[in-house]
Amino acid sequence: KEPVRYANLMHDRRVVRGNTYALQVVPVVCTQPNPLEIQRQREAWKRARARKRAKEQMQPRTPEPVEGREHVHVQTELYLEEISDRIIEVDIECQTDAFLDRPPTPLFIPAKTGKDVATQIEEGELFDFDIEVKPILEVLIGKTVEQALLEVMEEEELAQLWAHQHAYAELRNAELAEVQRLEEQDRRYREEKERRRLQHMQMLQKQKETTEKIAARAFAQRYLADLIPSVFNNLHESGFFYDPIERDIETEFLPWLMAEVEETLERKILGRIVLDSLICTVVEKRLDAFSQKPLSDQAPAEEPRPTDAAPQVASETEAADQPVTETDQPVAEEQPSRRISFQLEESDEAGTEDLETE
């Protein structure tokens, strides 16, 4: 199946332009056509078809439709218009009253005029078919052979043109590929040159940085030669470098020792407070007892007994710690109280020494 070729409808001869009412229709002639004219028309049609085919092959074509579809001819005008060589005719009728009892109109036959004349022609009187047809056949065959030769030459010329075009396209593609290869090679050379230049610049930069680092290191070593010992001495004096045993004693042992001492002192102070309260109570009772009885009556009764000596000494020591409010109490009792208070102080000192040794 020959592929459908699309063309512009504006240049199509079959499309009528303008008003179709003024279209001149060529009447059909019923005469016998001239064979030479028919042959000439066929040759012209063949040449036009060959030129059209060659032109269509040279022009770009529409891509083939996908599977399951096909291309169709469509009009690109804004309004669809029916194209026809025949002038549009319209029949208009009107209703009239039919004639009643009227026979049909007979067919009009004109009257015969003139005379009937006939001519008899015998066989072979006008022309000989074989003799008359021979030159016509020679002309037809010659023109056919000439047209065939022209078409063959045209096809060979087209084939040569196509071959020359393919060869030129191949040569052009080869030249383009060579140009691309040379451009790519030039691009690689440029990139390699730029990369080598960057590597050299980086190497020089690294050498410069290394030289600067070495100089800075030497200067820093020379500058820090005397600085490091002084820094360490200052840090040692500031307490950053310390003895772990000493720090452990200061942070762990001494706080524990102070807490224990404070607890012991608190217990001792608590014992003294309790003792003071007991002494106060005893002194108050003795004062009450002395205020109720005279001193002369109580002297023989208060002779010391071996079992009562210790409580009396304790009560007297408690009374010695309290202030004396009675002015009528004899002075002789102050000496035992002083002696007892001195003994209590010695016992307190002995207790503190025992706590410290513990």
Side-chain angles (χ1 to χ4, degrees):
K1 184 179 179 179
E2 185 178 0
V4 179
R5 297 183 178 87
Y6 293 91
N8 194 352
L9 296 177
M10 299 297 295
H11 303 285
D12 196 347
R13 297 178 182 178
R14 297 172 295 177
V15 178
V16 179
R17 303 298 175 188
N19 191 1
T20 57
Y21 290 99
L23 184 64
Q24 299 293 333
V25 180
V26 179
V28 179
V29 181
C30 297
T31 59
Q32 184 70 22
N34 190 2
L36 295 177
E37 185 67 23
I38 294 174
Q39 183 67 22
R40 192 180 298 108
Q41 291 179 359
R42 288 181 179 176
E43 292 176 358
W45 179 74
K46 288 182 180 179
R47 287 195 298 271
R49 186 176 179 182
R51 285 195 300 271
K52 185 178 180 182
R53 187 184 300 110
K55 187 177 180 180
E56 289 178 353
Q57 290 179 358
M58 295 296 293
Q59 292 179 353
R61 300 178 182 178
T62 305
E64 296 296 332
V66 297
E67 185 179 357
R69 297 187 180 181
E70 60 180 0
H71 294 314
V72 296
H73 294 280
V74 295
Q75 292 188 5
T76 58
E77 298 293 335
L78 296 177
Y79 302 98
L80 297 178
E81 182 180 358
E82 185 179 0
I83 300 173
S84 175
D85 295 338
R86 183 175 176 276
I87 299 175
I88 299 175
E89 298 177 357
V90 180
D91 295 335
I92 300 176
E93 297 178 356
C94 62
Q95 185 177 1
T96 58
D97 296 336
F99 295 99
L100 300 175
D101 299 333
R102 183 178 179 275
T105 302
L107 182 65
F108 175 74
I109 300 176
K112 186 176 182 181
T113 60
K115 295 180 181 181
D116 294 336
V117 177
T119 303
Q120 183 178 2
I121 299 174
E122 298 295 337
E123 186 178 355
E125 289 182 353
L126 293 179
F127 62 92
D128 189 357
F129 181 78
D130 295 336
I131 296 174
E132 296 294 336
V133 168
K134 185 176 181 181
I136 297 174
L137 290 176
E138 289 179 355
V139 172
L140 292 175
I141 293 172
K143 296 296 290 184
T144 304
V145 172
E146 183 181 359
Q147 183 65 27
L149 291 175
L150 289 175
E151 290 180 358
V152 171
M153 292 174 64
E154 186 177 0
E155 290 178 357
E156 291 180 355
E157 185 178 0
L158 290 174
Q160 290 179 0
L161 289 175
W162 280 106
H164 181 70
Q165 186 176 1
H166 286 301
Y168 175 75
E170 291 179 358
L171 181 61
R172 183 170 177 274
N173 293 332
E175 290 178 355
L176 289 176
E178 183 66 19
V179 169
Q180 292 178 358
R181 187 184 65 81
L182 293 176
E183 290 179 354
E184 184 67 20
Q185 184 178 3
D186 189 12
R187 184 185 64 80
R188 289 198 300 270
Y189 286 161
R190 289 198 306 271
E191 291 180 355
E192 184 67 21
K193 182 178 179 181
E194 185 68 20
R195 186 162 56 253
R196 294 292 179 85
R197 188 180 67 81
L198 292 175
Q199 289 179 358
H200 183 66
M201 294 296 293
Q202 291 177 358
M203 183 183 66
L204 293 178
Q205 184 70 20
K206 288 182 179 180
Q207 288 181 357
K208 183 179 178 181
E209 291 178 357
T210 304
T211 305
E212 292 178 355
K213 287 181 180 179
I214 292 172
R217 185 172 180 273
F219 177 75
Q221 287 181 353
R222 192 180 303 109
Y223 179 74
L224 297 176
D226 299 332
L227 183 62
I228 293 175
S230 62
V231 170
F232 277 100
N233 291 330
N234 292 332
L235 292 175
H236 185 73
E237 292 176 358
S238 299
F240 288 95
F241 300 103
Y242 55 86
D243 189 1
I245 298 174
E246 183 179 357
R247 177 61 62 87
D248 191 11
I249 291 172
E250 292 177 355
T251 57
E252 299 293 337
F253 179 72
L254 291 180
W256 172 83
L257 181 60
M258 294 301 295
E260 292 294 331
V261 170
E262 289 178 357
E263 185 179 357
T264 304
L265 292 176
E266 288 178 357
R267 288 199 301 269
K268 185 176 179 180
I269 292 170
L270 180 61
R272 287 183 177 181
I273 291 171
V274 173
L275 183 60
D276 291 339
S277 63
L278 293 176
I279 291 171
C280 291
T281 304
V282 172
V283 169
E284 289 177 356
K285 290 181 178 181
R286 298 296 293 272
L287 288 175
D288 293 337
F290 289 151
S291 62
Q292 291 177 2
K293 296 180 180 181
L295 183 61
S296 59
D297 297 336
Q298 293 180 357
E302 290 180 358
E303 290 180 358
R305 288 180 293 178
T307 56
D308 298 336
Q312 290 177 0
V313 172
S315 62
E316 289 177 358
T317 54
E318 291 176 356
D321 293 335
Q322 296 294 330
V324 179
T325 56
E326 298 289 339
T327 56
D328 53 354
Q329 192 173 5
V331 185
E333 293 183 359
E334 292 180 0
Q335 294 178 356
S337 62
R338 291 177 181 176
R339 185 173 59 255
I340 293 169
S341 61
F342 180 73
Q343 292 178 358
L344 289 174
E345 290 178 359
E346 289 180 355
S347 62
D348 292 337
E349 290 178 0
T352 54
E353 290 177 359
D354 296 335
L355 291 175
E356 290 176 357
T357 54
E358 290 176 357

